[in-house]
Amino acid sequence: MDIENQIDLAIKNFEFDGEVIEKEPLEKGHINDTFCIKCRLEDNTIKKYILQKINTNIFKNPDELMYNIVNITLYLKDTIIKNGGNPERGTLNVIKTKDEKNYYKGKDGDCWRVYNFIDNATTYDLVENAQDFYESAVAFGNFQMLLADFPANTLYETIPNFHNTIDRLNNLKEAIKNDIVSRVKEVEKEINFVLDREKDCCIICDALNNKEIPLRVTHNDTKLNNIMIDDETKKAICVIDLDTVMPGSILYDYGDSIRFGASTALEDEKDLSKVECSMELFEAYTKGFIEGTKGSLTSKEKELFPLGAKLMTLECGIRFLTDYLQGDTYFKIHREGHNLDRARTQFKLVSDMESKWEEMKNIVKKYS
Ligand code: ADP
Ligand code: GN1
Ligand code: MG
């Protein structure tokens, strides 16, 4: 069945207010297929929803995935209400199917979920100013605080070893060995860049295993386009894309935000001379995240912040490169060589961070 038919069938299985008049694909995000569903209400006003086709090649167990998300969002909703906030804008809310299921499964095995649409808010692929990035940091820090008491043992691990950098490196080595689309010869420079940094890959895992840093419930995918910023107030109001909320290290969340948001260029910029890790943005995020977590971070965690930023960037580059070598089956691509371009920006950022290491450490110290 083609996607249009799948969408129409999915729509029939949810109780939308009003009449569905438009289905607009939203192109952001590398994983799921996301649509804005517009409905006309009786008074002629428009109400929007998010309809998402879950990527079941990646999330193999949608029951467990949606169990996590329903419980996390209900928990967030309660906490937001207790704190006097607006749960319709402060968290995703899962809208159940007509038969009260967390998602709809079509005949082809296609899985669909519906969320409230956070209107008059935007996700950004590139920071427009340091203040917005600071606001996103406070919100991601707050998100961490909100989840601090969430019972971690009730969460399924939706993607095992998600931020196990050693495991990611081993996958790259395997992809190099198999070279199924004969691309290894093109990327020797990139491969060597990674192999030269092999010894760094175990640092966060070792620190967790040795209990030098705590295991927390973390988001694990804290890039700027996974947070909605209110168009009017410019405050970061809602953390979205909750598929990877799992036990992890705070360094994953801090580091991934720096990787994406402190870059002076888009994640897939081809002109590497434009790609740098901005120290102004690094400082804005560090300040906001430490404020947002309200003193709950340990000194060891903060000490490892620069390393978290570097390692999350290296890891993401490793994943893009691996996907390139495996024929682009994981991340959505929109052009030839897209994953390689993405890998190259990540490695450029890693080198740039290495050259600014002392400055990064000093900035973290200033706010610790
Ligand atoms: P992916 O896992 O593919 O990254 P996301 O859940 O991040 O998918 O959604 C992709 C994009 O869709 C987001 O970057 C955001 O722009 C938009 N989006 C997702 N959920 C909502 C929502 N509840 N309200 C408004 N926009 C949303
Ligand atoms: C993916 O889903 P999205 O686009 O927010 C990926 C992240 C990567 C990111 C790189 C489940 O995030 O881990 O860091 O792309 N998500 C998953 O942009 O693999
Ligand atoms: Mg996303």
Side-chain angles (χ1 to χ4, degrees), residues 183 186 270 324 328 333-341:
R183 288 175 170 173
E186 287 170 45
K270 279 162 111 47
Y324 183 66
D328 306 307
I333 56 161
H334 306 289
R335 61 176 188 247
E336 188 81 356
H338 208 165
N339 273 318
L340 180 55
D341 293 338

Side-chain angles (χ1 to χ4, degrees), residues 212-225:
E212 281 175 85
I213 53 172
L215 193 67
R216 301 174 182 272
V217 175
T218 48
H219 181 281
N220 297 304
D221 188 5
T222 48
K223 59 178 176 176
L224 191 65
N225 68 25

Side-chain angles (χ1 to χ4, degrees), residues 63-287:
D63 283 332
E64 292 183 359
L65 174 78
M66 290 310 294
Y67 177 90
N68 277 3
I69 293 183
V70 165
N71 284 309
I72 291 159
T73 51
L74 288 176
Y75 181 89
L76 291 172
K77 187 173 176 177
D78 267 4
T79 319
I80 292 168
I81 292 171
K82 270 186 214 134
N83 296 343
N86 175 358
E88 275 299 313
R89 282 177 80 66
T91 172
L92 293 177
N93 292 277
V94 176
I95 294 167
K96 300 223 175 186
T97 62
K98 284 179 179 163
D99 54 357
E100 287 295 306
K101 301 248 168 51
N102 292 338
Y103 68 97
Y104 162 74
K105 188 168 189 165
K107 288 201 177 59
D108 300 337
D110 46 317
C111 296
W112 298 83
R113 65 185 165 204
V114 173
Y115 290 126
N116 56 320
F117 189 92
I118 317 286
D119 216 352
N120 303 314
T122 306
T123 55
Y124 293 89
D125 287 326
L126 197 58
V127 168
E128 289 191 343
N129 58 64
Q131 183 63 25
D132 288 358
F133 196 41
Y134 164 83
E135 293 296 346
S136 80
V138 175
F140 275 127
N142 265 321
F143 184 80
Q144 175 57 227
M145 290 289 296
L146 288 175
L147 288 184
D149 294 324
F150 186 88
N153 58 354
T154 63
L155 282 177
Y156 292 103
E157 202 178 6
T158 52
I159 303 182
N161 288 319
F162 191 60
H163 282 307
N164 182 334
T165 314
I166 294 288
D167 203 63
R168 298 295 189 178
L169 178 66
N170 288 336
N171 293 343
L172 173 64
K173 289 181 178 171
E174 194 61 23
I176 296 169
K177 199 171 80 199
N178 296 334
D179 195 15
I180 55 165
V181 283
S182 306
R183 288 175 170 173
V184 165
K185 57 183 179 310
E186 287 170 45
V187 295
E188 272 172 19
K189 195 168 128 215
E190 286 74 17
I191 292 173
N192 287 331
F193 183 92
V194 174
L195 296 180
D196 285 346
R197 287 157 184 80
E198 181 160 5
K199 63 171 186 351
D200 291 340
C201 292
C202 60
I203 302 179
I204 300 180
C205 287
D206 284 356
L208 279 172
N209 290 338
N210 301 336
K211 306 221 175 336
E212 281 175 85
I213 53 172
L215 193 67
R216 301 174 182 272
V217 175
T218 48
H219 181 281
N220 297 304
D221 188 5
T222 48
K223 59 178 176 176
L224 191 65
N225 68 25
N226 284 332
I227 194 159
M228 309 276 327
I229 300 193
D230 189 290
D231 293 336
E232 206 175 308
T233 64
K234 295 290 172 196
K235 297 273 179 213
I237 50 167
C238 183
V239 174
I240 60 169
D241 203 346
L242 305 174
D243 294 330
T244 52
V245 174
M246 289 180 279
S249 161
I250 195 77
L251 297 172
Y252 303 154
D253 284 3
Y254 170 82
D256 198 55
S257 289
I258 298 291
R259 168 191 83 72
F260 189 90
S263 173
T264 50
L266 290 170
E267 193 185 54
D268 59 358
E269 175 59 58
K270 279 162 111 47
D271 178 356
L272 293 182
S273 69
K274 292 187 184 157
V275 183
E276 270 182 54
C277 180
S278 151
M279 287 300 103
E280 186 200 1
L281 295 176
F282 181 83
E283 177 156 359
Y285 195 90
T286 303
K287 177 174 186 283

